[in-house]
């Protein structure tokens, strides 16, 4: 049943729906990774990384809301239920328990890089299907790239 009538053709709606739902899963997952690391972080750079994790969580949560609302506006019911996220989420995550600051940085860089790679694929897929959704995905990608850069700079020089 379609409650909200879409403004784009059905073929485009399917492509856009897959892109938005996958992005929603990644963003909700990133917010959970960020909070898990935030709560279990230890090490000499605790405070700076602790605060930086809050930035990632805030961005991921705000963008997940925007992505979900874009889907709803196109007549695509977003699915952010815990069981959906748990079954579909595949980004790298921190280990259980206390996590050293260098390991948190490494995991966040890896998770953000994976999310960015997927977003770039979705940007390409939505090019013709819906430039408005594509623009949203570009905006999300730009923010995640900024966050990845900031975490990557935390472990410079490499190997320390």
């Amino acid at each position: 049943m379609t409650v909200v009538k879409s403004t784009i053709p059905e073929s485009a709606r399917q492509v856009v729906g897959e892109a938005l739902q996958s992005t929603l899963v990644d963003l909700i997952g990133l917010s959970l990774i960020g909070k898990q690391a935030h709560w279990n972080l230890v090490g000499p750079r605790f405070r700076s990384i602790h605060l930086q994790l809050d930035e990632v969580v805030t961005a991921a949560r705000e963008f997940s809301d925007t992505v979900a609302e874009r889907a709803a506006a196109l007549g695509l019911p977003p699915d952010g239920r815990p069981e959906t996220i748990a079954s579909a989420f595949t980004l790298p995550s921190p280990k259980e328990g206390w996590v050293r600051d260098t390991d948190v940085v490494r995991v966040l860089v890896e998770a953000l890089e994976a999310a960015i790679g997927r977003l770039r694929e979705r940007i390409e897929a939505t090019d013709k299907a819906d430039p408005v959704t594509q623009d949203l995905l570009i905006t999300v990608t730009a923010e995640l790239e900024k966050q990845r850069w900031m975490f990557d700079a935390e472990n410079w020089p490499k190997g320390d």
Side-chain angles (χ1 to χ4, degrees):
M1 161 173 77
T2 301
V3 174
V4 177
K5 184 171 173 27
S6 183
T7 57
I8 61 176
E10 183 59 29
S11 60
R13 200 169 152 264
Q14 289 177 358
V15 169
V16 171
E18 289 174 17
L20 289 170
Q21 181 60 39
S22 297
T23 300
L24 181 62
V25 167
D26 283 352
L27 289 169
I28 292 172
L30 278 172
S31 74
L32 295 172
I33 287 171
K35 272 304 177 189
Q36 181 67 21
H38 176 89
W39 297 323
N40 291 285
L41 172 67
V42 293
R45 294 179 295 157
F46 169 83
R47 180 146 175 81
S48 64
I49 295 172
H50 187 79
L51 295 173
Q52 192 174 346
L53 287 163
D54 277 338
E55 291 180 28
V56 171
V57 170
T58 298
R61 286 179 176 170
E62 288 175 359
F63 280 127
S64 66
D65 190 50
T66 303
V67 165
E69 288 177 353
R70 177 70 187 151
L74 295 174
L76 303 158
D79 190 353
R81 295 172 300 145
E83 58 270 25
T84 300
I85 305 308
S87 69
F89 186 73
T90 60
L91 295 177
S93 299
K95 65 180 180 74
E96 182 180 345
W98 304 116
V99 185
R100 182 155 174 80
D101 52 4
T102 52
D103 293 333
V104 166
V105 169
R106 179 187 47 75
V107 167
L108 261 291
V109 168
E110 290 172 2
L112 288 163
E113 282 179 358
I116 290 162
R118 294 176 193 185
L119 275 161
R120 289 192 170 278
E121 291 171 5
R122 296 172 197 142
I123 288 167
E124 189 174 322
T126 55
D127 177 37
K128 299 226 184 310
D130 183 29
V132 176
T133 296
Q134 182 190 46
D135 185 55
L136 171 58
L137 299 177
I138 290 168
T139 301
V140 172
T141 302
E143 177 61 27
L144 295 186
E145 285 178 335
K146 180 180 108 178
Q147 293 297 332
R148 191 216 56 83
W149 156 62
M150 291 179 162
F151 273 102
D152 199 32
E154 284 283 347
N155 275 344
W156 190 87
K158 298 293 183 200
D160 285 2

